[in-house]
Amino acid sequence: MDFTPTQEQAAARELAARIFGDLSTPERLAAAGTGSDAELWKALCEAGLVAAVEEIGLLGLVLLLEEQGRTTAQVPFAASCVYGLLAVSAHGSAEQRERLLPGIGDGTAVVSGALCEAAVREERPGELSGTVAAVPWLRDATHVLVVDDKRRLWLVRSTDAECTPVELTAPWSAGRLTLDGTPAERLGEGAYESRVRRDGANEGRPYDDVLATARTAFAGLQAGVCAGSLARAVEHTNTREQFGRPLAAKQGVQLRAADAYMDTEAIRVTAYEAAWRRDERLEYASHALTAAWWASEAGQRVVHTGQHLHGGMGADLDHPVHRHFLWGRQLDAYLGCGSEVLQELGELIVHGEGEGEGTGAVEA
């Protein structure tokens, strides 16, 4: 395996870092409240970073999401790329790809994801009913990728559904999605289904692929959140003095920071491996679960450390490090907490990857 970014991936990451660094400042984040930053989203789309994900792959997206996480930029970048661009590219029909991808790429269409499979059902052909309590970035979405109780994927226009604002731990512009005989479009119905490369015979499930892709992408986002939290803690402990010495000179501080660094690297490398395997069309179900476990278990440790190393300032709800704490705790439980994904991983290992719930990368 080789995680070295291509020239295109490296250029995209550099551009993303510059845009997020310039526009996702603590002052702008405070002004945005719990909503998204429309100006930042426009800048990202005009720079072609959303559309570029189709070319730079999931590993490229993970690199971009790291940069978003460092600044906790409030835009639906991960959601629209995973549930929109990558999902439609992999599982949409030729007609759906031609119709939907341009709008998603230029940002005029934003897709969020409601992957609570037990909450929605198809009551009549092409009509869905059910409620999903909290859908991140629903307030910004033009479309929602919904999974029903049979694990089929549907696209619903947000204007056809009832969307009620709700607040999450992190300011993710979320909402409650209510469907009542709402018209929906089956994603990829009649299209070429994905297949696992391992033996050329097993069919991959679109839902499994989208969920694994989402877990990998949001693990990359968590790596960035943790890196940003740790960077703030390092800066603080190097400049804050106690009894005439920087806090960073204390062995206890150094040990906490070192553990947080190792946890952050573990999240990053497992996300890289899962993303790389998907891009290479190799099986990656267990790797996505591994990345999700590290993002949950290690992620919460890191953001707690970042806040703790700020001492009393870490208790200030208006301090920038608290935003990393909120994002880290939100990502800790999003798409399954550590114990849940660990159970899934164990079941996958017992049954054998590539069988049952296993998933492989798609071939369009």
Side-chain angles (χ1 to χ4, degrees), residues 307 310-319 321-322:
Q307 195 166 29
H310 277 77
M313 295 178 65
D316 183 356
L317 301 184
D318 295 325
H319 195 284
V321 77
H322 184 66

Side-chain angles (χ1 to χ4, degrees), residues 71-318:
T71 60
T72 61
Q74 290 177 200
V75 286
F77 193 63
S80 202
C81 287
V82 170
Y83 303 124
L85 199 76
L86 293 179
V88 173
S89 296
H91 304 293
S93 65
E95 186 277 331
Q96 287 173 325
R97 292 196 297 270
E98 183 179 358
R99 170 166 50 89
L100 296 170
L101 289 179
I104 299 172
D106 66 21
T108 55
V110 175
V111 185
S112 61
L115 300 190
C116 186
E117 61 187 89
V120 175
R121 62 194 178 280
E122 184 187 21
E123 291 193 331
R124 290 180 295 274
E127 295 183 1
L128 301 180
S129 294
T131 301
V132 181
V135 180
W137 308 111
L138 182 61
R139 283 179 257 167
D140 300 320
T142 59
H143 297 76
V144 186
L145 184 68
V146 178
V147 61
D148 66 12
D149 55 353
K150 296 180 180 178
R151 291 192 166 189
R152 297 174 299 183
L153 296 177
W154 303 81
L155 278 172
V156 174
R157 291 183 178 274
S158 57
T159 53
D160 294 332
E162 180 182 344
C163 303
T164 308
V166 298
E167 299 302 336
L168 302 179
T169 300
W172 281 6
S173 192
R176 178 182 293 106
L177 178 70
T178 302
L179 307 174
D180 185 10
T182 304
E185 174 184 4
R186 177 81 182 277
L187 183 65
E189 187 174 24
Y192 176 77
E193 293 290 329
S194 63
R195 292 185 179 275
V196 176
R197 169 166 285 227
R198 178 179 181 182
D199 57 16
N202 296 322
E203 287 191 357
R205 293 189 177 96
Y207 166 73
D208 292 331
D209 174 61
V210 170
L211 179 58
T213 300
R215 282 172 165 164
T216 302
F218 282 96
L221 184 61
Q222 180 75 302
V225 170
C226 291
S229 176
L230 184 57
R232 290 188 181 281
V234 169
E235 180 182 7
H236 173 77
T237 56
N238 273 290
T239 56
R240 183 81 168 182
E241 292 188 355
Q242 187 178 65
F243 305 116
R245 299 177 63 198
L247 291 175
K250 298 181 178 296
Q251 188 178 43
V253 172
Q254 294 171 4
L255 292 174
R256 287 293 301 273
D259 285 343
Y261 174 79
M262 294 303 296
D263 274 338
T264 301
E265 288 301 296
I267 300 170
R268 176 182 290 114
V269 73
T270 52
Y272 283 6
E273 182 174 10
W276 176 83
R277 291 183 67 88
R278 184 187 190 274
D279 290 343
E280 293 296 315
R281 297 186 173 89
L282 301 171
E283 289 176 356
Y284 70 107
S286 63
H287 302 81
L289 287 167
T290 301
W293 183 84
W294 276 105
S296 176
E297 294 292 314
Q300 63 172 302
R301 289 197 297 266
V302 174
V303 296
H304 273 273
T305 295
Q307 195 166 29
H308 186 198
L309 291 180
H310 277 77
M313 295 178 65
D316 183 356
L317 301 184
D318 295 325

